[in-house]
Amino acid sequence: MTATRRALRRTATVTALTAASVLAAAGAAAAHVTVHPESYAKGATDGVLTFRVPNEEDTAATTKVQVYLPTDHPVLGVLVTPHDGWTAKVTTTKLKTPVKTDDGTITEAVSEVTWTGGKIGAGQYEDFDVAFGQLPEDTGRLTFKTLQTYSDGKVVRWIEQAQSGGDEPENPAPTLKLTAAGDAAAASSAPAAKTGAEATAAADSSDSTARGLGVAGLIVGALGLAAAAFAVVRTRGARS
């Protein structure tokens, strides 16, 4: 085998492996069930949470989605947006610690929303919207454990919580960060409770990340071709 062919083969192998790892990361980033926007101010009122559910199976459709809302830090005034083809069932639970509000004391809150009757096919996703009256003020994050059921009976449990400083778990639960009212992040999320514009932008952030990783894979491929061309020129120069 000539030096040129060996250089081309080495370059092609490295390029293919690198591009494959980048594209695999892009697929993984897009596969999780997530909540959007990613953050709200503590105590925010009259907003919307969007749960994005992608189908990560090639031979089965998602037929049931169960989202569990925390009751230790309850979300008040929950309303479910009608969704074509899906039926929503809302479950309420009596709170261990009632919540005092300007409108009185709240003793019950929604603990689960289940959507059935529809289908999310391979390569597709659905957005499920939940409106709220008020978010809690006494915690820095809300975790929404989610179960995703497929037509073949498989159930994916999105219930794992990331540890501080650790790697992301395999099946992370959708998590909403709650920020102090004076934080810049809180300021950016506050208009979403009024207009929904920032919520829509945040809902697309994970998809933008995946697309960015895909573009990075293409760039890696281009760099690999450039390296191969340089190797050919260098080999020919050495021969002459």
Side-chain angles (χ1 to χ4, degrees), residues 25-196:
H32 301 329
V33 174
T34 50
V35 61
H36 305 276
E38 296 178 352
S39 68
Y40 259 114
K42 293 180 179 180
T45 58
D46 301 327
V48 175
L49 298 175
T50 299
F51 294 92
R52 176 159 293 182
V53 182
N55 188 334
E56 54 181 12
E57 296 291 323
D58 295 329
T59 58
T62 295
T63 57
K64 183 178 182 181
V65 177
Q66 298 166 264
V67 175
Y68 294 88
L69 283 68
T71 55
D72 52 347
H73 304 286
V75 178
L76 304 181
V78 169
L79 296 173
V80 179
T81 302
H83 201 69
D84 290 344
W86 295 84
T87 299
K89 178 183 177 182
V90 178
T91 302
T92 59
T93 298
K94 188 173 182 178
L95 300 175
K96 292 182 178 180
T97 304
V99 179
K100 294 182 178 181
T101 70
D102 294 338
D103 297 323
T105 300
I106 306 299
T107 59
E108 291 185 342
V110 173
S111 58
E112 178 185 349
V113 181
T114 300
W115 288 271
T116 56
K119 289 185 178 181
I120 307 174
Q124 299 177 344
Y125 72 90
E126 290 276 2
D127 283 344
F128 298 92
D129 293 335
V130 174
F132 63 82
Q134 183 175 345
L135 295 178
E137 300 177 346
D138 57 351
T139 185
R141 66 178 55 213
L142 294 176
T143 300
F144 301 94
K145 296 182 179 181
T146 302
L147 301 185
Q148 181 179 11
T149 302
Y150 286 90
S151 55
D152 60 0
K154 178 180 179 180
V155 178
V156 180
R157 300 168 60 84
W158 302 99
I159 62 174
E160 299 174 0
Q161 300 184 48
Q163 301 299 320
S164 179
D167 295 333
E168 183 180 59
E170 182 178 356
N171 294 316
T175 302
L176 178 72
K177 181 180 180 182
L178 297 181
T179 61
D183 291 350
S188 65
S189 66
K194 302 298 182 181
T195 66

